[in-house]
Amino acid sequence: SGIDAVLTTGGGTLSGYVKNPAGTGLANALIDVYETQYNIAVGSISTDANGYFEVPGLLPGNYTTFTRYNNVYPSEWYSDKTTFETADPIMVTEGRNTTVTIILGGADPNIPNLSGQVRNYAGTGLENVQVKLYDMDQEFIVSVTTNANGDYAFNNLPSGEYKLYTDASAVG
């Protein structure tokens, strides 16, 4: 007695597509849905063969997503953000379907936005050196291997700060 309650009709739905920069849907991308006020994970789902996902039964409020795809594209918060704190909110409304399109990797997958060269002490580029990219919290994102000239490039990175690690001691 004395307890007020409001029954809902089942909440709202967050749905949409995860695509690459060319607009192709990405199958089996993993999406975690977070409530933004308290940073609580409320759901996790994989996309279907067309890159589609749907998370029903969400209480009305603001949410955001964290999306990852087999280390092909860097993981990101909605929309092209590197941290929960900077992620864009997605408003979910009771009895409605809120749709979003998540583009992993930015606008053009062929333009590197972080590149460099691994060289030995003589200044010669080193081939086949693995260069690992981490976020500022030491979370692994993706790695690439240097070419014959020692060059490497990371494409499709959301704006943000990163750390690079490499071990060229085995190469020379």
Side-chain angles (χ1 to χ4, degrees):
S1 142
I3 299 175
D4 294 328
V6 176
L7 298 177
T8 68
T9 59
T13 299
L14 175 60
S15 68
Y17 288 88
V18 177
K19 298 181 178 185
N20 67 17
T24 304
L26 299 174
N28 300 313
L30 300 174
I31 301 146
D32 296 323
V33 179
Y34 288 80
E35 179 277 333
T36 59
Q37 185 175 1
Y38 298 107
N39 187 7
I40 297 171
V42 295
S44 185
I45 193 165
S46 295
T47 57
D48 69 12
N50 298 311
Y52 181 77
F53 70 94
E54 186 173 293
V55 182
L58 297 173
L59 293 174
N62 285 320
Y63 295 86
T64 194
T65 60
F66 182 72
T67 308
R68 51 200 183 284
Y69 184 70
N70 300 329
N71 290 329
V72 174
Y73 297 102
S75 300
E76 66 180 52
W77 291 91
Y78 186 76
S79 168
D80 285 330
K81 302 299 190 300
T82 57
T83 66
F84 172 83
E85 292 76 21
T86 60
D88 292 332
I90 304 164
M91 173 62 86
V92 173
T93 307
E94 176 74 30
R96 298 244 161 160
N97 183 16
T98 302
T99 59
V100 296
T101 299
I102 300 168
I103 306 292
L104 292 182
D108 189 339
N110 301 311
I111 299 175
N113 52 355
L114 177 60
S115 61
Q117 186 180 52
V118 177
R119 294 179 273 191
N120 64 16
Y121 288 112
T124 305
L126 299 175
E127 184 177 12
N128 294 322
V129 175
Q130 187 178 42
V131 181
K132 297 178 181 180
L133 182 73
Y134 290 82
D135 66 18
M136 298 307 284
D137 293 324
Q138 303 295 332
E139 295 291 325
F140 175 75
I141 299 173
V142 69
S143 67
V144 296
T145 303
T146 59
N147 67 14
N149 298 318
D151 298 322
Y152 66 88
F154 292 95
N155 300 330
N156 311 312
L157 296 176
S159 298
E161 295 183 15
Y162 299 95
K163 293 181 181 181
L164 295 174
Y165 293 96
T166 186
D167 182 5
S169 61
V171 180

